[in-house]
Amino acid sequence: MSHERLSGLRRRRDGVVGRNGHWGRGTVRRCADGLFAANFWTAGTAQDLTSDGPASVLVRPERKTVTVSPSDPTQLRSSVVLDLAQCGLTVVSADPGVSASATVTGIRITADTAERHGATLTLTLKKS
């Protein structure tokens, strides 16, 4: 889809399309439940999520948890590192190869993506 077409779709009843195209990322937030999807073509920040390089990420907020699901769409990276600027989160569960540590502004998530062939990994965090 072209940048011009995406610009025309920025606000819809069911979601908000974020900055896309030449900014190095594409994002969508579904208004009904807050689901946030981001594709990063390069390192960058989209709302409260920062990626160290190419990545596809879903952030699904629920009542008492936030589930983060990163993957490496290039299938070339050994890891994906994300910073989620949400404080007060603690790990409930994590797929093998996914770790998280607190930072000053939120939580840093590291996902081992080597030999995963683009598969999505999952981390569930509890809101305090």
Side-chain angles (χ1 to χ4, degrees), residues 16 18 26-30 33-38 40 46-49 57-61 67 84:
V16 177
T27 64
V28 175
R29 182 175 300 275
R30 190 166 56 197
D33 60 4
L35 176 70
F36 180 67
F40 293 90
Q47 297 185 23
D48 59 358
L49 184 67
V57 187
L58 289 177
V59 179
R60 182 183 305 274
T67 302
L84 182 61

Side-chain angles (χ1 to χ4, degrees), residues 54-127:
S56 293
V57 187
L58 289 177
V59 179
R60 182 183 305 274
E62 297 183 66
R63 286 187 193 163
K64 297 183 180 185
T65 62
V66 176
T67 302
V68 182
S69 302
S71 67
D72 169 22
T74 69
Q75 301 183 33
L76 300 173
R77 303 185 70 202
S78 60
S79 66
V80 168
V81 178
L82 304 168
D83 287 317
L84 182 61
Q86 294 182 17
C87 294
L89 298 173
T90 56
V91 176
V92 173
S93 64
D95 284 347
V98 180
S99 62
S101 59
T103 66
V104 174
T105 59
I107 195 159
R108 173 163 286 176
I109 300 160
T110 303
D112 176 7
T113 56
E115 303 298 321
R116 300 217 187 243
H117 309 289
T120 301
L121 298 164
T122 301
L123 170 71
T124 302
L125 303 162
K126 181 180 177 183
K127 299 175 187 176

